[in-house]
Amino acid sequence: MNSTAGKAELVIKNAKELLTCKDDSPDLIGLVNDGWVAVSGGLITEVGAKKDIEPMISAETEVIDASGKVVAPGFVDSHTHVVFGGSRVGEYFAKIEKLSQEEIKRRGIETGILTTLTPTRGLPVEGLYDQTAARVRDMIVSGTTTLESKSGYGLDHDTELKQLEVNELLAQRLPINIASTFLGAHGWPHDSAKEAYMDFLIREMIPLVGNSKLAKFCDAWCDEGHYTAEDCRVILEAGIAAGMRPKLHSEGYSYIGGAEVAAELHAASADHLNYAPRHSLRKLAEAGVIGTPLPGIDFAVGHPLPFELAPMIEEGLEVAIATNCCPGCWCTSMPFIIILACRRHGFSAERAIRAATIAGAKALDLAGEVGSIEPGKRADIQIWNLEQHEDVAYHYMTNPVGVVIKDGAVVVRDSRILI
Ligand SMILES: [Zn+2]
């Protein structure tokens, strides 16, 4: 090759294992030994062997040697509530110590999502951004390059919009894709009846958020004591009318038919699914909905019914996993979620890596752009200081991520963020 047009801006060479995570890979992760990757213009331009890519190196090409290491797509964390103020550490220990409701009340410990409502409402946008950005920087250092982020800790006009504004700031200021989700139906405020609040969502907030293009998805929490399946249908249909595709918190703590609604409305994903029976899982699979069980929240709350992977796979569901980073599950690390998915829920390492990459991209309607290492996709790539991919689920609590590349630029080197 002698034209500069054929030269690469960045080349990753000699990956001991290159996990392409192509959707149709028979081994789930598209494993290539001794893999090379070429990048230009922020995109992956070529994936192959030394003979394919070495001729694309010029004097200007940045070459990263991945000898003895694993190269993988950046993680796609497809379910988070990362924009919040406050903490629920009191509730966390109350649950660990199995305190009675009376004792929790006596000690004045607040519980549930409303605990962080006041702190989130009280922060100015830059203060909320600063707290959130610290968590998102940790996520980037842990290999995440695409992040879904929900509102839902304001439950009023100004704070819901403020959370979505923080999402925009994150996307502008940090090297990460943000998929923004409006979750006004996370609950309803103490001082409001559910019906009145739903009316406010449907008449005012959802059209406003949709018209302002502040969110790609509209979400709701379907569970006993929260919104009913029929409530969720009405809320998500309003979201569809405003241009937002549905996602749904479904069957996390009870089975009340949310999965059926998610299937009928062709939601991008149905998330949690602890109590979803097989026939619901099958309906989700048939409708092309991605199932997103959440190993982190099952761990953090000591869930009475941790989700089961096998029925999901047997019913044909594509499974994604995500951190569900929130005040009830303060987790910024996709590698930790992979560890939990494998050890506690029976994922193979390959299944967990797929769930954290290409399947997560599908849950965000982004599989054409991210989630795998293929020509034409964004150059969102990470390099693990590991010799084999299984070690990502086996080496606990040491960040395996040495290098993160976002849109073709190195943003993490030696496990340190550069921005
Ligand atoms: Zn959630």
Side-chain angles (χ1 to χ4, degrees):
M1 234 176 256
N2 50 20
S3 88
T4 49
K7 298 298 180 186
E9 291 170 11
L10 184 148
V11 162
I12 302 168
K13 69 174 188 177
N14 295 330
K16 182 161 188 288
E17 291 189 1
L18 169 64
L19 317 182
T20 66
C21 296
K22 280 173 66 174
D23 191 21
D24 56 358
S25 310
D27 64 351
L28 299 176
I29 53 169
L31 173 62
V32 176
N33 292 306
D34 304 318
W36 290 50
V37 183
V39 169
S40 278
L43 300 176
I44 295 162
T45 52
E46 192 72 55
V47 180
K50 181 178 181 180
K51 66 173 173 41
D52 308 313
I53 291 176
E54 198 170 43
M56 300 172 78
I57 296 175
S58 73
E60 285 76 44
T61 304
E62 177 173 4
V63 179
I64 298 176
D65 188 355
S67 298
K69 296 179 178 174
V70 177
V71 173
F75 290 126
V76 179
D77 189 350
S78 61
H79 182 137
T80 85
H81 308 250
V82 70
V83 185
F84 64 86
S87 160
R88 283 166 63 184
V89 68
E91 177 184 353
Y92 184 71
F93 277 98
K95 281 185 177 157
I96 286 173
E97 295 173 45
K98 296 190 168 58
L99 299 186
S100 65
Q101 281 306 319
E102 297 74 53
E103 182 61 15
I104 288 172
K105 226 178 206 165
R106 198 186 65 75
R107 294 193 195 182
I109 298 168
E110 284 193 89
T111 60
I113 67 159
L114 297 182
T115 309
T116 44
L117 204 70
T118 306
T120 306
R121 285 179 175 179
L123 283 166
V125 66
E126 285 295 339
L128 188 57
Y129 171 81
D130 287 345
Q131 292 195 11
T132 304
R135 291 186 282 269
V136 173
R137 290 166 71 86
D138 285 345
M139 291 170 158
I140 294 167
V141 171
S142 302
T144 298
T145 49
T146 295
L147 176 67
E148 189 254 14
S149 174
K150 304 175 195 290
S151 70
Y153 284 116
L155 308 183
D156 65 16
H157 175 278
D158 289 357
T159 315
E160 290 294 313
L161 293 183
K162 183 171 68 181
Q163 287 193 277
L164 297 174
E165 193 183 335
V166 168
N167 281 347
E168 298 216 315
L169 294 176
L170 292 168
Q172 287 164 16
R173 297 176 183 175
L174 293 175
I176 194 159
N177 299 339
I178 302 287
S180 191
T181 297
F182 178 62
L183 178 59
H186 200 191
W188 55 91
H190 283 307
D191 57 359
S192 179
K194 181 178 81 170
E195 290 69 25
Y197 180 74
M198 268 182 69
D199 201 53
F200 157 71
L201 285 181
I202 289 163
R203 288 177 194 276
E204 187 176 337
M205 288 308 293
I206 290 174
L208 173 63
V209 170
N211 291 335
S212 319
K213 305 257 179 272
L214 281 168
K216 176 175 180 176
F217 300 103
C218 184
D219 197 346
W221 186 357
C222 187
D223 238 317
E224 254 169 30
H226 297 271
Y227 290 95
T228 67
E230 203 42 47
D231 293 339
C232 292
R233 180 194 304 280
V234 174
I235 291 163
L236 297 180
E237 282 178 344
I240 292 169
M244 293 180 280
R245 191 164 176 201
K247 284 170 110 41
L248 192 61
H249 287 65
S250 174
E251 275 70 53
Y253 298 90
S254 58
Y255 172 57
I256 61 166
E260 276 72 12
V261 172
E264 283 165 33
L265 298 182
H266 294 277
S269 68
D271 302 30
H272 287 279
L273 299 175
N274 301 58
Y275 287 82
R278 278 182 177 267
H279 62 84
S280 300
L281 297 172
R282 197 173 320 132
K283 275 189 189 158
L284 290 172
E286 285 167 1
V289 180
I290 306 302
T292 308
L294 297 164
I297 196 74
D298 284 11
F299 176 74
V301 303
H303 199 293
L305 186 68
F307 77 85
E308 271 191 81
L309 174 69
M312 297 181 185
I313 300 302
E314 286 162 17
E315 298 302 337
L317 202 60
E318 175 82 276
V319 173
I321 51 175
T323 60
N324 191 24
C325 181
C326 68
C329 173
W330 199 300
C331 176
T332 54
S333 166
M334 287 295 281
F336 180 57
I337 295 301
I338 288 173
I339 289 165
L340 293 178
C342 294
R343 182 58 270 176
R344 298 189 79 230
H345 301 274
F347 283 60
S348 65
E350 296 78 22
R351 174 74 63 189
I353 292 166
R354 177 186 177 86
T357 55
I358 187 66
K362 290 183 185 183
L364 298 179
D365 280 342
L366 288 174
E369 279 183 55
V370 299
S372 64
I373 298 178
E374 295 178 77
K377 287 214 175 176
R378 286 182 179 224
D380 294 357
I381 300 168
Q382 54 180 326
I383 304 177
W384 297 340
N385 297 323
L386 301 171
E387 291 205 1
Q388 54 191 2
H389 64 272
E390 293 92 339
D391 288 342
V392 74
Y394 175 62
H395 292 191
Y396 295 169
M397 306 323 290
T398 302
N399 184 13
V401 180
V403 173
V404 177
I405 295 159
K406 177 77 190 85
D407 292 321
V410 176
V411 298
V412 171
R413 205 187 290 276
D414 298 329
S415 306
R416 290 210 173 85
I417 191 163
L418 305 178
I419 293 164

